[in-house]
Amino acid sequence: MRAIDRKLLRDLRRHWLQVLSIAAVMGCAVMTIAGLQSTIRGLQRARDDYFTRHRFADVFATLQRAPLATGRALAAIPGVAAVDLRVVKNVRLDVPGLADPAIGHVVSIPAVRGPMINEPFVREGRWIAPGRDDEVLISERFAGVNGLHPGDSLGAVVNGRWRRLHVVGVALSPEFVVEGAMGPFSDSRRYGILWAPRRMLDAAFDMEGAFNDVAVRLSTGADERAVLAALDRELAPWGGAGAYGREDHVMVTILRNEFSQLRTNVTVFSSFFLIVSAFLLNVVLSRLVAAQREELAALKAFGYTNAEVGRHYLAFAVGAVTLGAVLGVPGGAWMGHAFTNLYAAFFKFPSLSPAMDAASVVPGIAVSGSFALLGALAAVRRAAALPPAQALRPETPGRTRPLLLEYLKLGHVLSPSARLVFRNLERRPFRTLTSMVAVGLAIAILIAGLFPYDVFAVVRRVEFTLANRQDFTVSFTGPQPARAFRELQAIPGVRAVEPFRTAPVRLHGPARTLARPITGIIRGGDLHRIVDVNGAPYALPADGLILSRGVADELGVRTGDTIRVELLEKGVTRGVAVVGTVDEMMALGGYMDLDALRALLREGDAISGAYVAALPGAEPMVSAAFKRFPGVAGAARRSAMIQSFEEQTSQSILLVMSLVVFSAGVIAAGVVYNNARIAVSERGRELGSLRVLGYTRGEITAMLLGEEAIVTAGAIPPGLAFGLVFSLAIAGGFKTSHYHFPFTLSAHSLLVAVGVVVGISALASGVVWQLVSGLDIVAALKTRE
């Protein structure tokens, strides 16, 4: 082994704590990139495999009712490879142990199992038996939260008739990767997917020889737009709600938005560690080169070239990078498994595991290592270019100049010790500023980590306190006359009832056509109000259409425009004026005054459901009463939706907050330790002189701690600024065509972020006392000849 290689090993051993601190920061970058990338790739692999194996449809369409003979015309459309004509209905379920009525979304399947579009995957139990019209498969999440297994049974009100359904299997389907009521506030206990034999639904809903739902597989190279247009033409006479492609399916949209958010997190959070690791390597190597000027001269005098010396110091950086990769890869594997387990509770796939392979790990190591080595290049070039004769001389002392406070005639307010503190910080302004930025990034990572939970708090307040103030949202099996509203009012324990009417429509705008519902509510209602993302209520006009801003943007319409509204229940199209837009959190559709919507539909006093408020303590009694109403399809309880929302968000809080606190701690501790270690190393002679002049160890320590305190305090403004910028980046990942959550940062989160980093910096500063205690005054005062 050459002498220069033995020197490298000796340097790594001597400075192992500094190398470890750099490696820990870089390891966090590797862990973040590899962990989140393996999660993304695992989800994508599970999705693609699931969609392929179970023949997820390429095109979907819903309609009122069409004869099976129409299927021949659909199958003859150019580009169509296979067509599945189904019956899809909602029924009311009586679940054992559940006081409230639940909604069952029932999809017909053939009694004899065979290759089919959107084929369910039976996780537990068996397929339905031929000849039995009382057997069903139920969705996995619904079964899990309600404790249901094959062999159990459910009560169901199917088109007004009570039936006993026997559960023979627990299943999944690519159509329902996300179970529940298809929204962020879904209540999986009260909403489940059921697969039932076609003959049961045919008899119960008078659908013999008919269908109301279509799933289509396209042939290779098919023109999807042409197929969609042809499907719309064929299904228009039968109340078609508008065909749409796979990319517009709610499941695909949810997954696509989640992938986008994860990629944003990879970029945002890894950038913290990349910047800090580059900074730390630059500082440590610069100090090492300055301290080893004599060794540098000796190496070059013995014949080592500039390139060999440069490679020697670059190898020091490579050692830190290698150790960072060794620490980061296992951390990334753990992080990938932890996040994948979180998603497994929400996304239902037959199998889901992180893709911790080379494609996930290598980019993390390559990007992190490249950033770190870029930070080391300046010091490496300086070492390679230093002439031997110049290296033999001590480094030229920096120029002494008055402090900024002394320029301002305020120097007298500082003690001699304080002036020493400020003088050392001003002597190296670049290092001081970069140290502040590095500690500021630790504050920023905490702010960015806390930001989603501030958003969740606002969502909870706006959606469940300001917008939805009812205790129950009652949905009917179909439009009901006004007497249903009066029957709800007569239930003992009911305090208030407000009816609503939901009409499925197709909105035709200049930019595109969307199938979205219009909801008619009473003006001035108190139980359900239209509010924007900030919670401000929106007054509903007596006439005209109010659109969610996301829907209006997709349609390409503005206030004052008139759009064509195709009433799918009536099979007619009418022009409606857009009288306003509201920036809602969820762009679900449009709103009208209840009487105005009834006039548009040209019907009497029909309603689709009602918002119900119960007297205090009367919720169980009111919920039980809903089961006695045959026309009630389900009753969503607001308290249950709040509980489901909190469960979904709280599952990730502990994991994410543990990671961001750990990461912020690594950054803050690494910066503070390296600053203290380099300060003692560089200023050994100065500190020794102060001890000889009578300064105590405590006073010297106080000066060094004062420098760290000023750096930490100076890090707060850039930390808050970086936190704001990164939170805005994350907020951009939250915003989609369907959802628009508000940007909010609470004072509590900002104080917590600052407090945690200040506390970690204070703990890390304890190393200063040990460094000062170990200072050899005699060795420090020796002068090179």
Side-chain angles (χ1 to χ4, degrees), residues 18-28 319-321 323-325 327-328:
Q18 289 172 281
V19 172
L20 180 61
S21 66
I22 297 168
V25 175
M26 207 204 83
C28 286
V321 168
L323 181 58
L327 296 174

Side-chain angles (χ1 to χ4, degrees), residues 737-762:
S737 60
H738 291 81
Y739 304 119
H740 178 201
F741 295 130
F743 177 80
T744 178
L745 275 174
S746 68
H748 175 265
S749 295
L750 299 179
L751 290 174
V752 167
V754 172
V756 169
V757 171
V758 169
I760 292 171
S761 298

Side-chain angles (χ1 to χ4, degrees), residues 12 57 59 279 306 410 464 508 717:
L12 289 171
V59 172
F279 160 73
N306 289 344
L410 297 175
F464 298 120
H508 297 271

Side-chain angles (χ1 to χ4, degrees), residues 1-322:
M1 181 181 291
R2 298 188 305 168
I4 196 170
D5 298 325
R6 289 196 296 271
K7 177 183 178 300
L8 172 63
L9 296 177
R10 189 164 57 247
D11 287 343
L12 289 171
R13 185 172 61 250
R14 183 186 304 164
H15 301 281
W16 70 273
L17 269 176
Q18 289 172 281
V19 172
L20 180 61
S21 66
I22 297 168
V25 175
M26 207 204 83
C28 286
V30 175
M31 178 183 72
T32 302
I33 296 173
L36 293 181
Q37 284 286 11
S38 69
T39 302
I40 295 172
R41 287 171 51 76
L43 286 168
Q44 289 176 328
R45 184 176 62 187
R47 177 201 61 186
D48 295 342
D49 182 68
Y50 193 20
F51 287 0
T52 301
R53 288 177 178 269
H54 292 265
R55 293 171 286 280
F56 187 39
D58 298 304
V59 172
F60 306 83
T62 60
L63 55 146
Q64 294 298 308
R65 188 180 189 275
L68 288 176
T70 308
R72 290 193 293 271
L74 302 182
I77 295 173
V80 171
V83 177
D84 187 10
L85 309 178
R86 308 182 299 181
V87 175
V88 179
K89 291 287 186 178
N90 284 347
V91 302
R92 194 179 78 201
L93 300 177
D94 185 4
V95 181
L98 186 63
D100 304 331
I103 297 175
H105 185 73
V106 189
V107 181
S108 66
I109 55 174
V112 178
R113 188 173 187 179
M116 56 179 288
I117 300 175
N118 300 326
E119 179 185 359
F121 169 78
V122 180
R123 177 87 78 183
E124 182 183 357
R126 61 172 175 82
W127 195 262
I128 57 177
R132 296 289 301 269
D133 61 358
D134 60 347
E135 293 185 347
V136 295
L137 308 176
I138 62 174
S139 55
E140 185 177 56
R141 186 174 178 86
F142 180 69
V145 296
N146 286 294
L148 297 172
H149 301 278
D152 294 336
S153 62
L154 300 167
V157 178
V158 182
N159 201 22
R161 293 185 177 183
W162 192 91
R163 298 197 57 169
R164 174 66 61 183
L165 303 179
H166 298 283
V167 178
V168 297
V170 176
L172 313 172
S173 169
E175 285 185 279
F176 308 106
V177 172
V178 180
E179 296 179 19
M182 311 309 175
F185 315 128
S186 60
D187 178 14
S188 296
R189 290 202 69 193
R190 296 164 180 83
Y191 187 96
I193 313 300
L194 282 73
W195 293 269
R198 174 68 184 259
R199 56 182 286 178
M200 181 187 86
L201 296 177
D202 284 351
F205 292 99
D206 188 27
M207 294 294 290
E208 293 181 7
F211 64 96
N212 70 346
D213 190 90
V214 181
V216 176
R217 291 276 287 180
L218 300 179
S219 56
T220 303
D223 185 344
E224 183 181 284
R225 290 187 177 182
V227 172
L228 292 175
L231 279 171
D232 284 344
R233 286 194 300 270
E234 294 291 342
L235 297 177
W238 312 106
Y244 56 94
R246 179 189 289 188
E247 288 303 308
D248 292 325
H249 193 282
V250 63
M251 297 304 141
V252 176
T253 300
I254 290 173
L255 287 168
R256 184 170 59 247
N257 292 339
E258 198 61 43
F259 293 150
S260 175
Q261 181 61 44
L262 280 170
R263 293 189 186 98
T264 299
N265 288 339
V266 171
T267 303
V268 170
F269 286 103
S270 62
S271 62
F272 296 109
F273 310 112
L274 299 177
I275 295 170
V276 175
S277 60
F279 160 73
L280 289 179
L281 254 180
N282 178 270
V283 170
V284 170
L285 271 180
S286 295
R287 172 54 200 155
L288 191 63
V289 170
Q292 294 185 350
R293 293 169 65 88
E294 287 183 339
E295 289 89 337
L296 265 173
L299 287 172
K300 293 186 176 183
F302 279 106
Y304 287 101
T305 65
N306 289 344
E308 288 175 314
V309 171
R311 284 196 297 269
H312 165 70
Y313 285 100
L314 189 62
F316 183 94
V318 170
V321 168
T322 303

Side-chain angles (χ1 to χ4, degrees), residues 419-722:
R419 283 199 294 271
L420 285 172
V421 169
F422 281 99
R423 182 167 288 117
N424 187 63
L425 292 174
E426 288 190 20
R427 191 191 314 173
R428 294 179 174 85
F430 178 76
R431 183 185 298 179
T432 301
L433 289 174
T434 50
S435 296
M436 290 178 178
V437 169
V439 176
L441 288 173
I443 297 173
I445 196 174
L446 278 166
I447 293 174
L450 289 167
F451 165 71
Y453 306 108
D454 285 341
V455 172
F456 294 154
V458 173
V459 170
R460 189 187 188 283
R461 178 180 64 86
V462 171
E463 288 296 321
F464 298 120
T465 302
L466 302 177
N468 296 285
R469 300 144 68 93
Q470 72 278 13
D471 295 309
F472 299 94
T473 301
V474 178
S475 301
F476 297 141
T477 54
Q480 300 289 322
R483 67 172 181 271
F485 168 68
R486 292 190 291 271
E487 289 172 355
L488 291 176
Q489 286 181 312
I491 295 176
V494 169
R495 176 175 61 84
V497 181
E498 294 177 3
F500 66 85
R501 175 75 166 98
T502 300
V505 302
R506 192 181 299 168
L507 303 170
H508 297 271
R512 62 178 303 186
T513 297
L514 294 176
R516 297 291 177 88
I518 294 178
T519 302
I521 59 178
I522 61 174
R523 285 190 300 140
D526 183 62
L527 298 184
H528 180 82
R529 303 188 300 173
I530 304 173
V531 300
D532 64 15
V533 292
N534 299 310
Y538 192 96
L540 190 66
D543 200 6
L545 176 64
I546 301 295
L547 288 177
S548 297
R549 183 164 297 170
V551 174
D553 290 342
E554 283 194 87
L555 292 171
V557 299
R558 297 178 296 176
T559 299
D561 292 345
T562 297
I563 65 171
R564 292 186 300 119
V565 177
E566 186 177 350
L567 305 173
L568 301 177
E569 292 178 344
K570 307 296 182 179
V572 297
T573 301
R574 298 191 175 104
V576 180
V578 177
V579 295
T581 61
V582 57
D583 193 11
E584 291 185 293
M585 289 186 182
M586 291 177 290
L588 299 181
Y591 299 94
M592 294 182 72
D593 172 70
L594 180 58
D595 292 332
L597 179 58
R598 287 169 172 168
L600 180 68
L601 294 170
R602 296 180 184 174
E603 65 183 16
D605 55 2
I607 58 175
S608 304
Y611 305 112
V612 178
L615 293 170
E619 281 192 26
M621 178 174 61
V622 172
S623 176
F626 292 145
K627 291 187 175 183
R628 299 194 294 269
F629 284 80
V632 172
R637 189 184 293 210
R638 184 172 66 107
S639 59
M641 288 192 290
I642 293 174
Q643 181 181 357
S644 177
F645 174 74
E646 290 180 342
E647 287 175 354
Q648 291 177 25
T649 55
S650 64
Q651 287 175 357
S652 62
I653 288 178
L654 181 60
L655 173 63
V656 174
M657 287 313 301
S658 299
L659 283 171
V660 297
V661 170
F662 169 77
S663 302
V666 168
I667 290 177
V671 173
V672 170
Y673 170 77
N674 275 284
N675 282 348
R677 183 71 184 85
I678 290 171
V680 172
S681 177
E682 285 182 339
R683 300 166 58 195
R685 179 174 176 81
E686 176 187 336
L687 298 177
S689 300
L690 291 174
R691 290 283 285 123
V692 171
L693 292 174
Y695 281 82
T696 65
R697 183 177 288 111
E699 288 173 322
I700 294 176
T701 302
M703 284 190 287
L704 293 177
L705 290 177
E707 294 178 13
E708 298 303 331
I710 292 172
V711 167
T712 302
I716 295 175
L720 297 177
F722 289 146

Side-chain angles (χ1 to χ4, degrees), residues 383-423:
L386 189 64
Q390 183 180 342
L392 287 171
R393 294 195 301 268
E395 194 171 5
T396 304
R399 292 180 58 189
T400 301
R401 58 179 181 269
L403 296 171
L404 177 62
L405 288 174
E406 292 172 336
Y407 276 122
L408 299 175
K409 308 300 182 182
L410 297 175
H412 63 279
V413 303
L414 299 177
S415 65
S417 298
R419 283 199 294 271
L420 285 172
V421 169
F422 281 99
R423 182 167 288 117

